[in-house]
Amino acid sequence: MTQRAELATVLDRLAVDELVTAYAVTVDDGDWTAYPGLFTSGGRADYRSSGGIEGEAGQVAGWLAENLARFAVRQHLIVNRRVRFGVLEHDTGDTARVRADYFNPMRLTDGNGSAAPDLESGGRYDFGLLRTPDGWRIGQVVVTEKWRRTSAGR
């Protein structure tokens, strides 16, 4: 591999990492207008394993907005990121697969602004990414929840 190819790969890895981080921050901050912009046209998200829906990014943003509104505090920690670049139309690096684990602590509200029990969950994200003229975007993300608990259950 030439130095130019190695540099391009490093830059792609940084861009992919930034996209995955932007995904977490967008969900945690409830920026539902920005959420679909992280995806390709027709990009999809699948939250069925955690009791959610599967659908086009705009539809899922609406579902997330409605269902996460009851949490006063949300924080994603996405770790153990494994990035693999793929081939599309004979060009290396036009696609990427990212497998990453997540830990997601959240604080429920009781509807009156008071803190209710905490909810924590963990699992894995599988991102399918595509290089577009606007940079890397999510074609598909699948959430696989592996566990959850509330502070009341400790």
Side-chain angles (χ1 to χ4, degrees):
M1 187 178 281
T2 67
Q3 283 185 323
R4 183 174 297 189
E6 289 171 358
L7 177 59
T9 300
V10 169
L11 292 174
D12 280 336
R13 283 177 102 46
L14 290 170
V16 163
D17 188 66
E18 176 61 27
L19 179 60
V20 171
T21 299
Y23 182 88
V25 171
T26 300
V27 171
D28 291 343
D29 291 350
D31 190 350
W32 308 120
T33 302
Y35 182 87
L38 300 172
F39 288 78
T40 61
S41 174
R44 302 181 74 79
D46 183 347
Y47 279 85
R48 290 177 293 185
S49 77
S50 59
I53 66 169
E54 188 279 334
E56 184 270 328
Q59 175 189 13
V60 172
W63 176 83
L64 288 168
E66 180 181 331
N67 285 278
L68 295 181
R70 62 185 167 191
F71 296 98
V73 176
R74 298 184 295 269
Q75 183 179 33
H76 270 82
L77 303 173
I78 300 180
V79 299
N80 301 332
R81 300 173 194 210
R82 286 174 279 173
V83 179
R84 301 291 183 260
F85 291 104
V87 176
L88 178 68
E89 296 179 13
H90 308 291
D91 292 327
T92 301
D94 287 332
T95 65
R97 305 262 350 139
V98 179
R99 267 190 121 172
D101 296 324
Y102 71 85
F103 172 63
N104 187 15
M106 297 185 287
R107 163 99 6 125
L108 288 159
T109 60
D110 66 1
N112 298 316
S114 299
D118 293 334
L119 173 70
E120 298 174 337
S121 66
R124 177 162 290 156
Y125 282 113
D126 284 299
F127 291 94
L129 308 180
L130 180 67
R131 183 194 312 274
T132 73
D134 297 319
W136 287 96
R137 294 294 184 267
I138 301 166
Q140 179 183 30
V141 59
V142 177
V143 178
T144 304
E145 185 178 82
K146 294 183 176 184
W147 62 270
R148 85 170 46 182
R149 68 175 173 223
T150 64
S151 58
R154 288 186 179 164

